Short mmCIF file of all heavy atoms in Angstrom, two decimals:
data_model
loop_
_atom_site.label_atom_id
_atom_site.label_comp_id
_atom_site.label_asym_id
_atom_site.label_seq_id
_atom_site.Cartn_x
_atom_site.Cartn_y
_atom_site.Cartn_z
N MET P 179 -7.18 6.53 24.76
CA MET P 179 -7.72 6.75 23.42
C MET P 179 -6.73 7.57 22.59
O MET P 179 -6.18 8.56 23.05
CB MET P 179 -9.04 7.52 23.51
CG MET P 179 -10.11 6.73 24.22
SD MET P 179 -11.12 5.78 23.12
CE MET P 179 -12.22 7.04 22.48
N GLY P 180 -6.55 7.13 21.42
CA GLY P 180 -5.65 7.85 20.51
C GLY P 180 -6.40 8.90 19.74
O GLY P 180 -7.48 9.33 20.13
N ALA P 181 -5.80 9.35 18.66
CA ALA P 181 -6.42 10.37 17.82
C ALA P 181 -7.59 9.77 17.07
O ALA P 181 -7.50 8.65 16.56
CB ALA P 181 -5.38 10.94 16.86
N LEU P 182 -8.65 10.49 17.03
CA LEU P 182 -9.85 10.00 16.35
C LEU P 182 -10.32 11.05 15.34
O LEU P 182 -10.05 12.24 15.50
CB LEU P 182 -10.96 9.77 17.38
CG LEU P 182 -10.76 8.56 18.29
CD1 LEU P 182 -11.81 8.55 19.38
CD2 LEU P 182 -10.80 7.29 17.49
N PRO P 183 -10.99 10.61 14.30
CA PRO P 183 -11.50 11.57 13.32
C PRO P 183 -12.54 12.50 13.94
O PRO P 183 -13.32 12.11 14.81
CB PRO P 183 -12.11 10.68 12.23
CG PRO P 183 -12.28 9.35 12.83
CD PRO P 183 -11.23 9.23 13.88
N LYS P 184 -12.50 13.74 13.50
CA LYS P 184 -13.35 14.76 14.13
C LYS P 184 -14.82 14.55 13.80
O LYS P 184 -15.68 14.72 14.65
CB LYS P 184 -12.91 16.13 13.66
CG LYS P 184 -13.53 17.28 14.44
CD LYS P 184 -12.79 18.58 14.14
CE LYS P 184 -13.28 19.67 15.08
NZ LYS P 184 -12.57 20.93 14.84
N ARG P 185 -15.08 14.19 12.55
CA ARG P 185 -16.48 13.98 12.18
C ARG P 185 -16.62 12.79 11.26
O ARG P 185 -15.65 12.29 10.71
CB ARG P 185 -17.06 15.24 11.53
CG ARG P 185 -16.21 15.82 10.43
CD ARG P 185 -16.88 17.06 9.84
NE ARG P 185 -17.12 18.09 10.83
CZ ARG P 185 -16.28 19.08 11.11
NH1 ARG P 185 -15.14 19.18 10.46
NH2 ARG P 185 -16.57 19.99 12.02
N LYS P 186 -17.85 12.36 11.17
CA LYS P 186 -18.16 11.16 10.39
C LYS P 186 -17.93 11.40 8.91
O LYS P 186 -18.25 12.47 8.39
CB LYS P 186 -19.63 10.80 10.65
CG LYS P 186 -20.15 9.61 9.90
CD LYS P 186 -21.63 9.45 10.25
CE LYS P 186 -22.24 8.35 9.40
NZ LYS P 186 -23.66 8.19 9.75
N LEU P 187 -17.38 10.37 8.24
CA LEU P 187 -17.20 10.46 6.80
C LEU P 187 -18.54 10.26 6.11
O LEU P 187 -19.33 9.40 6.50
CB LEU P 187 -16.24 9.36 6.36
CG LEU P 187 -15.01 9.78 5.57
CD1 LEU P 187 -14.15 10.69 6.41
CD2 LEU P 187 -14.21 8.56 5.19
N THR P 188 -18.80 11.05 5.09
CA THR P 188 -20.03 10.86 4.33
C THR P 188 -19.92 9.60 3.49
O THR P 188 -18.82 9.10 3.24
CB THR P 188 -20.29 12.06 3.41
OG1 THR P 188 -19.23 12.14 2.45
CG2 THR P 188 -20.35 13.34 4.19
N SER P 189 -21.06 9.10 3.07
CA SER P 189 -21.05 7.88 2.24
C SER P 189 -20.34 8.13 0.93
O SER P 189 -19.74 7.23 0.36
CB SER P 189 -22.48 7.43 1.98
OG SER P 189 -23.20 8.46 1.32
N THR P 190 -20.37 9.37 0.44
CA THR P 190 -19.65 9.70 -0.80
C THR P 190 -18.16 9.58 -0.60
O THR P 190 -17.46 8.98 -1.41
CB THR P 190 -20.00 11.13 -1.23
OG1 THR P 190 -21.41 11.27 -1.29
CG2 THR P 190 -19.41 11.43 -2.58
N ARG P 191 -17.66 10.15 0.50
CA ARG P 191 -16.21 10.10 0.76
C ARG P 191 -15.77 8.67 0.99
O ARG P 191 -14.69 8.27 0.55
CB ARG P 191 -15.89 10.94 1.99
CG ARG P 191 -16.00 12.42 1.72
CD ARG P 191 -14.64 13.08 1.98
NE ARG P 191 -14.57 14.35 1.29
CZ ARG P 191 -13.68 14.64 0.35
NH1 ARG P 191 -12.78 13.76 -0.01
NH2 ARG P 191 -13.67 15.80 -0.23
N ARG P 192 -16.56 7.92 1.72
CA ARG P 192 -16.23 6.52 1.95
C ARG P 192 -16.18 5.77 0.62
O ARG P 192 -15.27 4.98 0.37
CB ARG P 192 -17.29 5.90 2.86
CG ARG P 192 -16.86 4.60 3.48
CD ARG P 192 -18.02 3.62 3.57
NE ARG P 192 -19.19 4.19 4.23
CZ ARG P 192 -20.42 4.08 3.74
NH1 ARG P 192 -20.64 3.44 2.61
NH2 ARG P 192 -21.43 4.61 4.38
N GLY P 193 -17.14 6.03 -0.25
CA GLY P 193 -17.18 5.37 -1.55
C GLY P 193 -16.02 5.78 -2.43
O GLY P 193 -15.47 4.95 -3.16
N MET P 194 -15.61 7.05 -2.34
CA MET P 194 -14.47 7.51 -3.13
C MET P 194 -13.20 6.77 -2.73
O MET P 194 -12.37 6.44 -3.56
CB MET P 194 -14.28 9.02 -2.93
CG MET P 194 -15.26 9.87 -3.74
SD MET P 194 -15.40 11.55 -3.13
CE MET P 194 -13.81 12.22 -3.48
N ARG P 195 -13.05 6.55 -1.42
CA ARG P 195 -11.87 5.81 -0.97
C ARG P 195 -11.93 4.37 -1.44
O ARG P 195 -10.96 3.82 -1.93
CB ARG P 195 -11.79 5.88 0.56
CG ARG P 195 -10.53 5.23 1.10
CD ARG P 195 -10.45 5.36 2.62
NE ARG P 195 -11.48 4.63 3.31
CZ ARG P 195 -12.38 5.19 4.12
NH1 ARG P 195 -12.39 6.48 4.34
NH2 ARG P 195 -13.30 4.46 4.72
N ARG P 196 -13.10 3.76 -1.32
CA ARG P 196 -13.22 2.35 -1.66
C ARG P 196 -13.25 2.11 -3.16
O ARG P 196 -13.18 0.96 -3.60
CB ARG P 196 -14.49 1.78 -1.02
CG ARG P 196 -14.35 1.71 0.48
CD ARG P 196 -15.58 1.16 1.15
NE ARG P 196 -15.45 1.25 2.59
CZ ARG P 196 -16.40 0.90 3.43
NH1 ARG P 196 -17.56 0.44 2.98
NH2 ARG P 196 -16.22 1.00 4.72
N ALA P 197 -13.34 3.16 -3.95
CA ALA P 197 -13.32 2.99 -5.40
C ALA P 197 -11.97 2.50 -5.88
O ALA P 197 -11.86 1.97 -6.98
CB ALA P 197 -13.65 4.32 -6.07
N HIS P 198 -10.94 2.66 -5.05
CA HIS P 198 -9.60 2.25 -5.46
C HIS P 198 -9.27 0.84 -5.00
O HIS P 198 -8.17 0.37 -5.22
CB HIS P 198 -8.55 3.23 -4.91
CG HIS P 198 -8.69 4.60 -5.47
ND1 HIS P 198 -8.17 4.97 -6.68
CD2 HIS P 198 -9.33 5.70 -5.00
CE1 HIS P 198 -8.48 6.24 -6.93
NE2 HIS P 198 -9.18 6.70 -5.92
N TRP P 199 -10.21 0.19 -4.33
CA TRP P 199 -9.95 -1.18 -3.88
C TRP P 199 -10.03 -2.11 -5.07
O TRP P 199 -11.02 -2.17 -5.79
CB TRP P 199 -10.99 -1.61 -2.85
CG TRP P 199 -10.86 -0.96 -1.52
CD1 TRP P 199 -10.04 0.09 -1.20
CD2 TRP P 199 -11.57 -1.29 -0.34
NE1 TRP P 199 -10.21 0.43 0.11
CE2 TRP P 199 -11.15 -0.41 0.66
CE3 TRP P 199 -12.52 -2.24 -0.03
CZ2 TRP P 199 -11.64 -0.47 1.94
CZ3 TRP P 199 -13.01 -2.29 1.24
CH2 TRP P 199 -12.58 -1.42 2.23
N ARG P 200 -9.00 -2.88 -5.26
CA ARG P 200 -9.09 -3.92 -6.27
C ARG P 200 -7.98 -4.95 -6.02
O ARG P 200 -6.99 -4.66 -5.35
CB ARG P 200 -8.95 -3.35 -7.67
CG ARG P 200 -7.62 -2.67 -7.92
CD ARG P 200 -7.54 -2.20 -9.36
NE ARG P 200 -6.35 -1.41 -9.55
CZ ARG P 200 -6.29 -0.11 -9.34
NH1 ARG P 200 -7.36 0.54 -8.93
NH2 ARG P 200 -5.18 0.54 -9.55
N LEU P 201 -8.18 -6.11 -6.56
CA LEU P 201 -7.16 -7.14 -6.48
C LEU P 201 -6.13 -6.89 -7.56
O LEU P 201 -6.48 -6.52 -8.67
CB LEU P 201 -7.78 -8.53 -6.67
CG LEU P 201 -8.74 -8.98 -5.58
CD1 LEU P 201 -9.38 -10.28 -5.99
CD2 LEU P 201 -8.03 -9.13 -4.27
N VAL P 202 -4.86 -7.09 -7.21
CA VAL P 202 -3.79 -6.88 -8.17
C VAL P 202 -3.28 -8.24 -8.63
O VAL P 202 -2.97 -9.10 -7.82
CB VAL P 202 -2.65 -6.07 -7.51
CG1 VAL P 202 -1.51 -5.89 -8.49
CG2 VAL P 202 -3.19 -4.73 -7.04
N VAL P 203 -3.24 -8.42 -9.92
CA VAL P 203 -2.73 -9.67 -10.47
C VAL P 203 -1.20 -9.59 -10.46
O VAL P 203 -0.63 -8.65 -11.02
CB VAL P 203 -3.25 -9.88 -11.90
CG1 VAL P 203 -2.68 -11.18 -12.49
CG2 VAL P 203 -4.76 -9.91 -11.91
N PRO P 204 -0.51 -10.55 -9.83
CA PRO P 204 0.96 -10.51 -9.84
C PRO P 204 1.49 -10.77 -11.24
O PRO P 204 0.96 -11.60 -11.97
CB PRO P 204 1.35 -11.63 -8.87
CG PRO P 204 0.17 -12.53 -8.83
CD PRO P 204 -1.03 -11.68 -9.05
N SER P 205 2.56 -10.03 -11.58
CA SER P 205 3.15 -10.19 -12.90
C SER P 205 3.97 -11.48 -12.93
O SER P 205 4.99 -11.59 -12.28
CB SER P 205 4.02 -8.98 -13.23
OG SER P 205 5.00 -8.79 -12.24
N LEU P 206 3.47 -12.44 -13.65
CA LEU P 206 4.13 -13.74 -13.71
C LEU P 206 4.92 -13.86 -15.00
O LEU P 206 4.47 -13.45 -16.05
CB LEU P 206 3.08 -14.86 -13.64
CG LEU P 206 2.28 -14.90 -12.34
CD1 LEU P 206 1.16 -15.90 -12.45
CD2 LEU P 206 3.18 -15.25 -11.19
N VAL P 207 6.13 -14.39 -14.85
CA VAL P 207 7.06 -14.48 -15.97
C VAL P 207 7.60 -15.91 -16.04
O VAL P 207 7.91 -16.48 -15.00
CB VAL P 207 8.22 -13.46 -15.75
CG1 VAL P 207 9.39 -13.74 -16.68
CG2 VAL P 207 7.73 -12.04 -15.93
N PRO P 208 7.69 -16.51 -17.20
CA PRO P 208 8.30 -17.84 -17.28
C PRO P 208 9.80 -17.77 -17.04
O PRO P 208 10.49 -16.86 -17.51
CB PRO P 208 7.99 -18.31 -18.70
CG PRO P 208 7.72 -17.06 -19.46
CD PRO P 208 7.12 -16.09 -18.48
N CYS P 209 10.32 -18.73 -16.26
CA CYS P 209 11.74 -18.78 -15.95
C CYS P 209 12.54 -19.13 -17.19
O CYS P 209 12.13 -20.00 -17.95
CB CYS P 209 11.95 -19.83 -14.86
SG CYS P 209 13.68 -20.12 -14.47
N PRO P 210 13.66 -18.46 -17.45
CA PRO P 210 14.46 -18.78 -18.63
C PRO P 210 15.11 -20.15 -18.55
O PRO P 210 15.47 -20.72 -19.58
CB PRO P 210 15.52 -17.66 -18.67
CG PRO P 210 15.55 -17.12 -17.29
CD PRO P 210 14.18 -17.30 -16.73
N ARG P 211 15.34 -20.66 -17.36
CA ARG P 211 16.01 -21.96 -17.26
C ARG P 211 15.00 -23.12 -17.25
O ARG P 211 15.09 -24.02 -18.07
CB ARG P 211 16.87 -22.02 -15.99
CG ARG P 211 17.54 -23.37 -15.84
CD ARG P 211 18.48 -23.42 -14.67
NE ARG P 211 19.70 -22.65 -14.90
CZ ARG P 211 20.73 -22.65 -14.08
NH1 ARG P 211 20.68 -23.33 -12.97
NH2 ARG P 211 21.79 -21.93 -14.34
N CYS P 212 14.08 -23.08 -16.27
CA CYS P 212 13.19 -24.24 -16.14
C CYS P 212 11.82 -23.99 -16.74
O CYS P 212 11.00 -24.88 -16.80
CB CYS P 212 13.07 -24.64 -14.67
SG CYS P 212 12.20 -23.43 -13.67
N ARG P 213 11.58 -22.75 -17.16
CA ARG P 213 10.33 -22.37 -17.83
C ARG P 213 9.09 -22.52 -16.95
O ARG P 213 7.99 -22.56 -17.46
CB ARG P 213 10.15 -23.15 -19.13
CG ARG P 213 11.25 -22.83 -20.12
CD ARG P 213 11.03 -23.51 -21.42
NE ARG P 213 12.15 -23.21 -22.31
CZ ARG P 213 12.23 -23.67 -23.55
NH1 ARG P 213 11.27 -24.40 -24.04
NH2 ARG P 213 13.25 -23.37 -24.30
N ALA P 214 9.30 -22.62 -15.66
CA ALA P 214 8.16 -22.59 -14.76
C ALA P 214 7.75 -21.13 -14.56
O ALA P 214 8.59 -20.23 -14.59
CB ALA P 214 8.53 -23.21 -13.41
N ILE P 215 6.49 -20.90 -14.36
CA ILE P 215 6.01 -19.53 -14.21
C ILE P 215 6.24 -19.08 -12.77
O ILE P 215 5.85 -19.77 -11.82
CB ILE P 215 4.52 -19.45 -14.59
CG1 ILE P 215 4.38 -19.65 -16.10
CG2 ILE P 215 3.93 -18.12 -14.16
CD1 ILE P 215 2.95 -19.67 -16.56
N HIS P 216 6.92 -17.97 -12.60
CA HIS P 216 7.14 -17.42 -11.28
C HIS P 216 6.98 -15.91 -11.36
O HIS P 216 6.88 -15.35 -12.44
CB HIS P 216 8.52 -17.81 -10.75
CG HIS P 216 9.64 -17.21 -11.55
ND1 HIS P 216 10.06 -17.74 -12.75
CD2 HIS P 216 10.39 -16.12 -11.36
CE1 HIS P 216 11.04 -17.00 -13.23
NE2 HIS P 216 11.26 -16.00 -12.42
N MET P 217 6.99 -15.25 -10.20
CA MET P 217 6.84 -13.80 -10.16
C MET P 217 8.12 -13.13 -10.63
O MET P 217 9.22 -13.60 -10.31
CB MET P 217 6.51 -13.34 -8.73
CG MET P 217 5.08 -13.63 -8.35
SD MET P 217 4.79 -13.31 -6.62
CE MET P 217 4.87 -11.52 -6.62
N SER P 218 7.98 -12.05 -11.37
CA SER P 218 9.15 -11.34 -11.85
C SER P 218 9.84 -10.65 -10.68
O SER P 218 9.22 -10.30 -9.68
CB SER P 218 8.75 -10.30 -12.90
OG SER P 218 7.91 -9.33 -12.33
N HIS P 219 11.15 -10.44 -10.81
CA HIS P 219 12.01 -9.85 -9.78
C HIS P 219 12.04 -10.70 -8.52
O HIS P 219 12.27 -10.19 -7.42
CB HIS P 219 11.57 -8.41 -9.44
CG HIS P 219 11.45 -7.53 -10.64
ND1 HIS P 219 12.53 -7.08 -11.37
CD2 HIS P 219 10.35 -7.03 -11.25
CE1 HIS P 219 12.10 -6.34 -12.37
NE2 HIS P 219 10.78 -6.30 -12.33
N ARG P 220 11.80 -12.01 -8.69
CA ARG P 220 11.92 -12.94 -7.58
C ARG P 220 12.78 -14.12 -8.03
O ARG P 220 12.86 -14.41 -9.21
CB ARG P 220 10.55 -13.48 -7.14
CG ARG P 220 9.58 -12.44 -6.67
CD ARG P 220 9.97 -11.84 -5.34
NE ARG P 220 8.92 -11.00 -4.80
CZ ARG P 220 8.69 -9.76 -5.19
NH1 ARG P 220 9.44 -9.22 -6.13
NH2 ARG P 220 7.73 -9.06 -4.66
N VAL P 221 13.40 -14.78 -7.05
CA VAL P 221 14.14 -15.99 -7.35
C VAL P 221 13.13 -17.07 -7.74
O VAL P 221 12.09 -17.20 -7.11
CB VAL P 221 14.96 -16.43 -6.13
CG1 VAL P 221 15.65 -17.75 -6.39
CG2 VAL P 221 15.97 -15.37 -5.78
N CYS P 222 13.47 -17.82 -8.78
CA CYS P 222 12.57 -18.87 -9.24
C CYS P 222 12.47 -19.95 -8.15
O CYS P 222 13.50 -20.48 -7.73
CB CYS P 222 13.10 -19.45 -10.54
SG CYS P 222 12.15 -20.86 -11.11
N PRO P 223 11.30 -20.27 -7.67
CA PRO P 223 11.19 -21.26 -6.59
C PRO P 223 11.48 -22.68 -7.02
O PRO P 223 11.80 -23.53 -6.19
CB PRO P 223 9.73 -21.12 -6.12
CG PRO P 223 9.02 -20.58 -7.30
CD PRO P 223 9.98 -19.72 -8.05
N SER P 224 11.38 -22.96 -8.30
CA SER P 224 11.56 -24.36 -8.72
C SER P 224 13.02 -24.68 -9.02
O SER P 224 13.48 -25.79 -8.75
CB SER P 224 10.68 -24.66 -9.92
OG SER P 224 10.96 -23.76 -10.96
N CYS P 225 13.79 -23.74 -9.61
CA CYS P 225 15.19 -24.05 -9.91
C CYS P 225 16.15 -23.15 -9.13
O CYS P 225 17.35 -23.41 -9.12
CB CYS P 225 15.46 -23.95 -11.40
SG CYS P 225 15.36 -22.30 -12.08
N GLY P 226 15.68 -22.12 -8.46
CA GLY P 226 16.53 -21.32 -7.59
C GLY P 226 17.49 -20.39 -8.30
O GLY P 226 18.56 -20.10 -7.78
N THR P 227 17.14 -19.91 -9.47
CA THR P 227 18.03 -19.01 -10.18
C THR P 227 17.43 -17.61 -10.22
O THR P 227 16.22 -17.43 -10.10
CB THR P 227 18.27 -19.48 -11.62
OG1 THR P 227 17.02 -19.57 -12.29
CG2 THR P 227 18.95 -20.82 -11.64
N TYR P 228 18.31 -16.65 -10.37
CA TYR P 228 17.86 -15.29 -10.57
C TYR P 228 18.77 -14.64 -11.60
O TYR P 228 20.00 -14.74 -11.51
CB TYR P 228 17.90 -14.52 -9.25
CG TYR P 228 17.26 -13.15 -9.37
CD1 TYR P 228 15.88 -13.00 -9.30
CD2 TYR P 228 18.05 -12.02 -9.57
CE1 TYR P 228 15.30 -11.77 -9.41
CE2 TYR P 228 17.46 -10.78 -9.69
CZ TYR P 228 16.09 -10.66 -9.61
OH TYR P 228 15.51 -9.43 -9.74
N SER P 229 18.18 -14.00 -12.57
CA SER P 229 18.90 -13.32 -13.64
C SER P 229 19.91 -14.24 -14.30
O SER P 229 21.10 -13.98 -14.36
CB SER P 229 19.53 -12.04 -13.11
OG SER P 229 20.88 -11.95 -13.31
N GLY P 230 19.44 -15.38 -14.79
CA GLY P 230 20.29 -16.27 -15.56
C GLY P 230 21.07 -17.24 -14.72
O GLY P 230 20.55 -18.24 -14.26
N ARG P 231 22.36 -16.95 -14.49
CA ARG P 231 23.25 -17.97 -13.94
C ARG P 231 23.29 -18.02 -12.42
O ARG P 231 23.79 -18.96 -11.86
CB ARG P 231 24.68 -17.72 -14.44
CG ARG P 231 24.81 -17.93 -15.93
CD ARG P 231 26.20 -17.52 -16.38
NE ARG P 231 26.20 -17.23 -17.83
CZ ARG P 231 27.11 -16.47 -18.41
NH1 ARG P 231 28.09 -15.95 -17.71
NH2 ARG P 231 27.05 -16.24 -19.70
N GLU P 232 22.86 -16.96 -11.76
CA GLU P 232 23.01 -16.92 -10.31
C GLU P 232 22.16 -17.98 -9.64
O GLU P 232 20.96 -18.02 -9.80
CB GLU P 232 22.59 -15.55 -9.78
CG GLU P 232 23.49 -14.44 -10.27
CD GLU P 232 23.00 -13.10 -9.76
OE1 GLU P 232 22.48 -13.04 -8.64
OE2 GLU P 232 23.13 -12.12 -10.49
N VAL P 233 22.81 -18.82 -8.86
CA VAL P 233 22.08 -19.83 -8.09
C VAL P 233 22.07 -19.37 -6.65
O VAL P 233 23.09 -19.31 -5.98
CB VAL P 233 22.75 -21.20 -8.21
CG1 VAL P 233 22.00 -22.22 -7.37
CG2 VAL P 233 22.78 -21.64 -9.66
N ILE P 234 20.90 -19.00 -6.18
CA ILE P 234 20.79 -18.46 -4.84
C ILE P 234 20.27 -19.52 -3.88
O ILE P 234 20.81 -19.73 -2.82
CB ILE P 234 19.88 -17.21 -4.85
CG1 ILE P 234 20.55 -16.13 -5.69
CG2 ILE P 234 19.66 -16.70 -3.44
CD1 ILE P 234 19.62 -15.02 -6.08
N GLU P 235 19.24 -20.21 -4.30
CA GLU P 235 18.68 -21.25 -3.44
C GLU P 235 19.07 -22.62 -3.97
O GLU P 235 19.27 -22.79 -5.16
CB GLU P 235 17.16 -21.15 -3.41
CG GLU P 235 16.69 -19.91 -2.69
CD GLU P 235 15.18 -19.81 -2.70
OE1 GLU P 235 14.53 -20.77 -3.17
OE2 GLU P 235 14.65 -18.80 -2.26
N ILE P 236 19.21 -23.55 -3.06
CA ILE P 236 19.51 -24.91 -3.46
C ILE P 236 18.22 -25.70 -3.55
O ILE P 236 17.36 -25.59 -2.67
CB ILE P 236 20.49 -25.57 -2.45
CG1 ILE P 236 21.75 -24.70 -2.33
CG2 ILE P 236 20.85 -26.98 -2.89
CD1 ILE P 236 22.57 -25.01 -1.11
N LYS P 237 18.11 -26.44 -4.60
CA LYS P 237 16.89 -27.22 -4.81
C LYS P 237 16.82 -28.38 -3.83
O LYS P 237 17.67 -29.26 -3.83
CB LYS P 237 16.89 -27.74 -6.24
CG LYS P 237 15.60 -28.39 -6.65
CD LYS P 237 15.59 -28.51 -8.17
CE LYS P 237 15.26 -29.91 -8.58
NZ LYS P 237 15.45 -30.09 -10.01
N THR P 238 15.80 -28.36 -2.98
CA THR P 238 15.60 -29.46 -2.04
C THR P 238 14.15 -29.93 -2.17
O THR P 238 13.24 -29.11 -2.22
CB THR P 238 15.86 -29.03 -0.59
OG1 THR P 238 15.15 -27.83 -0.34
CG2 THR P 238 17.34 -28.77 -0.35
N LYS P 239 13.99 -31.21 -2.20
CA LYS P 239 12.64 -31.75 -2.32
C LYS P 239 12.46 -32.96 -1.42
O LYS P 239 12.99 -34.03 -1.67
CB LYS P 239 12.37 -32.15 -3.78
CG LYS P 239 11.47 -31.16 -4.47
CD LYS P 239 10.94 -31.69 -5.75
CE LYS P 239 9.94 -30.70 -6.35
NZ LYS P 239 9.47 -31.14 -7.64
N LYS P 240 11.71 -32.75 -0.33
CA LYS P 240 11.33 -33.83 0.58
C LYS P 240 12.54 -34.60 1.10
O LYS P 240 12.57 -35.80 1.12
CB LYS P 240 10.36 -34.78 -0.10
CG LYS P 240 9.02 -34.14 -0.37
CD LYS P 240 8.04 -35.13 -0.95
CE LYS P 240 6.71 -34.48 -1.24
NZ LYS P 240 5.80 -35.40 -1.90
N LYS P 241 13.59 -33.87 1.48
CA LYS P 241 14.76 -34.54 2.05
C LYS P 241 14.87 -34.18 3.54
O LYS P 241 15.31 -34.97 4.34
CB LYS P 241 16.02 -34.09 1.32
CG LYS P 241 17.15 -35.09 1.46
CD LYS P 241 17.37 -35.84 0.16
CE LYS P 241 18.22 -37.06 0.40
NZ LYS P 241 19.23 -37.24 -0.61
N GLU P 242 14.50 -32.94 3.88
CA GLU P 242 14.59 -32.52 5.28
C GLU P 242 13.22 -32.56 5.93
O GLU P 242 12.24 -32.14 5.35
CB GLU P 242 15.13 -31.09 5.35
CG GLU P 242 16.53 -30.95 4.79
CD GLU P 242 16.95 -29.49 4.70
OE1 GLU P 242 16.39 -28.77 3.87
OE2 GLU P 242 17.80 -29.11 5.49
N LYS P 243 13.20 -33.08 7.12
CA LYS P 243 11.96 -32.97 7.88
C LYS P 243 12.24 -33.14 9.36
O LYS P 243 12.90 -34.03 9.77
CB LYS P 243 10.92 -33.98 7.45
CG LYS P 243 9.56 -33.51 7.92
CD LYS P 243 8.46 -34.47 7.63
CE LYS P 243 7.20 -33.93 8.28
NZ LYS P 243 6.10 -34.85 8.15
ZN1 ZN J 79 13.40 -21.70 -12.80
#
C-alpha cells in the first residue's frame, strides 16, 4: 500500500475541487495556405505547413497501406 489520505474529504472540499472541471475548446485557426481549420501552434494536417512556407509533412492520401 502506498501513501493514502489521512482523512476523508468533506463534500464541500470535493465540490471545490470539481468546480474547476470543464471541457476546454481547442483554439482553432484557419490555415493561411489551404484555409482548412486546424489547431493553432500545430502543423496543418491537410497541407502540412507550419508558419507559412515550412513544409514539414508530405501530403499523402490513400497511397500507402
Ligand atoms: Zn493548410
Side-chain angles (χ1 to χ4, degrees):
M179 296 268 281
L182 288 172
K184 191 166 189 179
R185 49 180 58 93
K186 178 182 174 179
L187 235 62
T188 63
S189 59
T190 307
R191 287 240 159 241
R192 196 217 308 133
M194 282 162 67
R195 184 178 66 240
R196 291 180 186 177
H198 296 277
W199 288 10
R200 62 176 173 273
L201 294 173
V202 178
V203 179
S205 56
L206 297 172
V207 166
C209 175
R211 178 175 288 187
C212 68
R213 297 184 182 181
I215 290 177
H216 65 280
M217 285 172 71
S218 63
H219 307 290
R220 300 290 189 281
V221 176
C222 175
S224 56
C225 67
T227 58
Y228 188 81
S229 125
R231 293 174 201 158
E232 295 178 34
V233 178
I234 296 164
E235 291 178 6
I236 305 163
K237 188 164 129 189
T238 49
K239 255 194 175 176
K240 292 184 181 176
K241 202 106 195 223
E242 298 172 290
K243 199 184 174 185

